[in-house]
Amino acid sequence: MTSGHEVVAIIALGMGLAFWLTDRATPTSRWLGLFLGLLGVAVYANAQTASAIALSPLPWWVRGVGLLDSATFVAACEWGLRVSQTVPDAAGSPRRDKLIRAAQILSASYAGFVALLPELRYRELALAVAEHRFPDPMFALFLLPMLGAGALVMTAGVLLMLRRPDRAEQIRILAALAAMPFLAVALVLPSSVSPLALAVGEVMFLFGSLRYYMILGARGSFMARFLSPQVAELVRERGLRQAMARKRSDVSVVSVDIRRFTRHAQAHTPEQVMRLLRSFYAAVGSAAQEFGGTVKDLAGDGALILIGAPVPYEDRAQRAIRLARRLQSRVRPILKRYSGELGLGVGVASGSVAVGIVGEGGRYEYMAVGPAVNLASRLCDKAADGEIHIDEATLLESGESLPATRRRRAVRGIDGLVTTYVLQEHAATGTSS
């Protein structure tokens, strides 16, 4: 085997192993790692055929090299499909999926022809190169399926780019489209030049992937501010733009606020108040993650938590009520350790809201706008220390029978009287989970 093939194979195997080990929890990285690993093995196997064509008959294993080539192409297509799922309005596109599947079928036909006619595939090409002539017309049996498969994938990639994917996705999609012709044509090029084509394709793939992960890393600090583990998993699978797309969602909103915080802040040093808030935010974030909540706001002495966006939950109302109880049972005692005068009020409301990312120039915020958000905040304002105020929609949706006091009251900013239910301290701080 030539040193060029050795180097190319090692680079491909190393890249595949790196992507697999560093990010195997993500479907796109798993398929990318498998593709690159198979590519390295395929490069090695194809190089071995260069020394095997002098033997007659050809060794039995030569018939399987085409299957390895096809498996490499299929893995690359599967990686592309996982990438396309991160693009809004493109996931599940029947036209694009059919193009990819047709390309995989053509790739499989190439493997079949290699298994049936290995001497035509390898020996005829070597002779044509040595004699400076075109291969036998029958060689089209191997060339046309791979060219057709590549054209179908390129078409699918162009259709995907027309969906205007997020910037990080654009980079890796364009890098893959640029690398594919080099990787595909290397399968039928003479062994003297195929390593160069493979190396160029690998470098393009590596550049696109590294740029993609660099952008994701820069977004990490932003995501960590409000994303629950469930949302982080959604982002890994579908991409930030898909997970955070602006849309209407049915949510339950939990608003929490420290009682008598202003008086406490005036009586203590800024460093002491900072320690209090750090403990409060940490406890609120931990409780929110436990029930799949997304912390939308951590501002001053309060927080706003969404349940049902970006990740939908059918039992969002039950989760919200259990979260409210958990806040009273776990966060309130933490506040009491700092000062017995501090307390915690919680408001819960449900409804349809508009959610999504807003902002520009690198500064973004996950927003939720709708009556349920305002109502949860207003109910929190009315909640005394140890109380949870729940709107009627949340209680009915949860299907729970709670030891709560029913009230009809006017709420600032909302027309008409609002029916709410108040969980007192002894009920709110129960151990229900």
Side-chain angles (χ1 to χ4, degrees):
M1 183 173 67
T2 67
S3 59
H5 283 96
E6 289 178 355
V7 172
V8 170
I10 291 173
I11 291 175
L13 286 168
M15 289 168 57
L17 184 62
F19 283 115
W20 180 275
L21 292 179
T22 57
D23 193 30
R24 60 180 176 271
T26 306
T28 52
S29 293
R30 288 199 300 269
W31 280 106
L32 181 57
L34 179 60
F35 157 61
L36 291 171
L38 286 172
L39 178 63
V41 177
V43 169
Y44 177 85
N46 276 279
Q48 292 299 304
T49 63
S51 58
I53 58 176
L55 303 176
S56 184
L58 288 175
W60 63 268
W61 54 265
V62 173
R63 296 179 182 271
V65 175
L67 180 61
L68 188 57
D69 294 338
S70 177
T72 303
F73 184 85
V74 168
C77 289
E78 292 297 326
W79 171 79
L81 285 174
R82 299 311 183 282
V83 170
S84 71
Q85 292 172 358
T86 68
V87 180
D89 302 323
S93 168
R95 184 182 179 187
R96 186 209 62 243
D97 289 354
K98 288 179 180 178
L99 289 173
I100 295 296
R101 296 307 179 198
Q104 291 175 321
I105 292 172
L106 285 175
S107 171
S109 70
Y110 163 85
F113 289 133
V114 172
L116 291 173
L117 303 168
E119 294 196 9
L120 178 63
R121 163 63 180 89
Y122 297 108
R123 188 166 288 159
E124 169 60 21
L125 178 63
L127 289 173
V129 173
E131 298 171 2
H132 304 287
R133 63 175 173 82
F134 289 105
D136 187 292
M138 288 293 289
F139 191 76
L141 289 173
F142 312 104
L143 184 61
L144 293 180
M146 295 310 295
L147 290 179
L152 289 173
V153 171
M154 293 291 287
T155 302
V158 172
L159 292 175
L160 185 60
M161 289 300 296
L162 293 177
R163 297 287 187 175
R164 299 181 63 186
D166 148 288
R167 184 166 67 95
E169 306 298 345
Q170 284 183 8
I171 290 173
R172 66 173 175 175
I173 293 170
L174 288 174
L177 292 177
M180 182 165 296
F182 292 92
L183 299 177
V185 76
L187 294 176
V188 293
L189 285 176
S191 60
S192 59
V193 294
S194 63
L196 178 60
L198 287 166
V200 172
E202 287 179 355
V203 169
M204 289 180 174
F205 240 111
L206 183 60
F207 171 79
S209 297
L210 289 179
R211 282 293 300 158
Y212 170 77
Y213 286 109
M214 287 174 62
I215 293 173
L216 289 193
R219 291 172 173 169
S221 57
F222 159 66
M223 291 166 55
R225 287 173 48 221
F226 60 84
L227 296 186
S228 68
Q230 295 89 339
V231 178
E233 178 65 22
L234 182 64
V235 170
R236 281 196 296 270
E237 291 182 356
R238 300 187 180 181
L240 182 63
R241 184 173 177 179
Q242 172 93 345
M244 301 286 115
R246 299 179 191 178
K247 59 183 178 180
R248 274 275 183 171
S249 297
D250 292 325
V251 302
S252 291
V253 185
V254 179
S255 179
V256 58
D257 192 78
I258 302 175
R259 295 290 169 262
R260 293 178 290 278
F261 173 79
T262 302
R263 184 189 307 172
H264 178 84
Q266 291 174 343
H268 294 80
T269 66
E271 291 77 14
Q272 291 173 321
V273 175
M274 187 67 71
R275 284 195 293 271
L276 163 66
L277 290 176
R278 188 177 295 117
S279 298
F280 170 69
Y281 292 155
V284 169
S286 176
Q289 289 186 1
E290 185 177 350
F291 295 97
T294 298
V295 180
K296 194 195 79 67
D297 286 324
L298 285 175
D301 57 346
L304 193 67
I305 304 164
L306 305 179
I307 298 183
V311 178
Y313 295 108
E314 292 185 1
D315 62 341
R316 56 187 170 273
Q318 293 172 315
R319 288 173 179 258
I321 293 174
R322 291 198 293 268
L323 171 58
R325 287 172 161 171
R326 188 59 51 86
L327 290 170
Q328 288 291 10
S329 65
R330 289 190 181 176
V331 180
R332 185 169 178 265
I334 292 175
L335 299 177
K336 295 296 185 184
R337 289 202 295 268
Y338 283 89
S339 173
E341 71 173 358
L342 294 174
L344 193 72
V346 181
V348 183
S350 298
S352 176
V353 301
V355 296
I357 288 180
V358 297
E360 58 181 301
R363 297 184 61 86
Y364 301 96
E365 183 178 355
Y366 189 59
M367 294 291 293
V369 179
V373 177
N374 299 330
L375 180 56
S377 180
R378 298 290 181 261
L379 294 181
C380 179
D381 291 341
K382 291 182 175 294
D385 177 28
E387 289 185 346
I388 299 173
H389 288 218
I390 306 172
D391 76 329
E392 190 171 36
T394 301
L395 192 61
L396 292 176
E397 188 176 327
S398 71
E400 294 193 21
S401 178
L402 302 175
T405 303
R406 183 177 185 272
R407 292 183 183 175
R408 291 275 292 172
R409 65 175 74 176
V411 176
R412 181 166 57 88
I414 298 176
D415 295 334
L417 297 178
V418 177
T419 300
T420 61
Y421 295 82
V422 180
L423 271 69
Q424 303 296 334
E425 179 179 344
H426 67 280
T429 57
T431 59
S432 171
S433 63

